[in-house]
Amino acid sequence: MTLALSRRTLLLAGTAALIARPAIAAEPTTHTVEMLNKDPEDSKQRMIFKPAFLMVNPGDTVTFVATDKGHNSEIIDDMIPEGAEGWKGKINDEVAVTFEQPGFYGYKCTPHVGTGMVGLIAEQGDGMMDNLEAAQKVKHRGQAKKRFKALWEMAEEAGATTA
């Protein structure tokens, strides 16, 4: 038995296959966060992560770069979604973290947390809000307390804290 397919039949079959195929998820993105002694655009801002707030998607990677020496990036206890992996970079080392568990991640520069060198990442997706309340309740000292207040405001403005 010979099956003859017309050009029209092949075009229709191809079009149907494209329509039936599920949407392809966006490619993972790599974000860079600089660890700086001072903001090059505002010298009054010292000991910072830039940007200090990020919204990412599952599969995205954030690379923390010690642009200025003497810094690291480390997860803050109790500011990580349940089941997610934390990280602790060494001083002056670049560290890359791939995000796979939606939720809120607070992080710090270990030697400069008291001066407010902290940051916040919101990973979008199902379950993103599961650790919001716990992360917001974590107590911080010194300038970190003030910076986290501003970071939570940024997250709210970006729509990260509303379901």
Side-chain angles (χ1 to χ4, degrees), residues 25-92:
E27 289 293 316
T29 301
T30 299
H31 307 269
T32 300
V33 173
E34 292 183 285
M35 298 181 272
L36 300 166
N37 291 338
K38 65 180 179 179
D39 188 331
E41 296 159 13
D42 181 0
S43 62
K44 292 179 183 176
Q45 295 292 317
R46 297 184 176 276
M47 301 302 170
I48 63 165
F49 290 102
K50 187 167 185 166
F53 172 71
L54 278 176
M55 283 186 65
V56 302
N57 293 306
D60 284 1
T61 298
V62 175
T63 303
F64 296 91
V65 179
T67 304
D68 294 327
K69 299 297 181 200
H71 303 292
N72 77 326
S73 174
E74 177 182 353
I75 194 71
I76 295 173
D77 293 336
D78 301 324
M79 291 191 78
I80 184 170
E82 187 174 326
E85 285 190 44
W87 69 90
K88 182 177 183 177
K90 294 181 180 178
I91 302 293
N92 299 328

Side-chain angles (χ1 to χ4, degrees), residues 132-150:
L132 173 63
E133 189 175 327
Q136 287 179 324
K137 286 184 177 181
V138 172
K139 301 287 185 207
H140 305 282
R141 295 185 198 182
Q143 291 298 311
K145 182 177 182 177
K146 183 178 177 181
R147 287 248 176 106
F148 265 114
K149 183 176 189 262

Side-chain angles (χ1 to χ4, degrees), residues 3 14 21 46 73 81 108 155:
L3 180 61
R21 191 177 81 193
R46 297 184 176 276
S73 174
K108 64 185 177 183

Side-chain angles (χ1 to χ4, degrees), residues 106-137:
Y107 60 93
K108 64 185 177 183
C109 171
T110 307
H112 301 113
V113 66
T115 64
M117 193 165 178
V118 295
L120 182 66
I121 294 171
E123 181 182 346
Q124 302 178 88
D126 291 339
M128 178 179 171
M129 300 300 171
D130 292 354
N131 77 318
L132 173 63
E133 189 175 327
Q136 287 179 324
K137 286 184 177 181

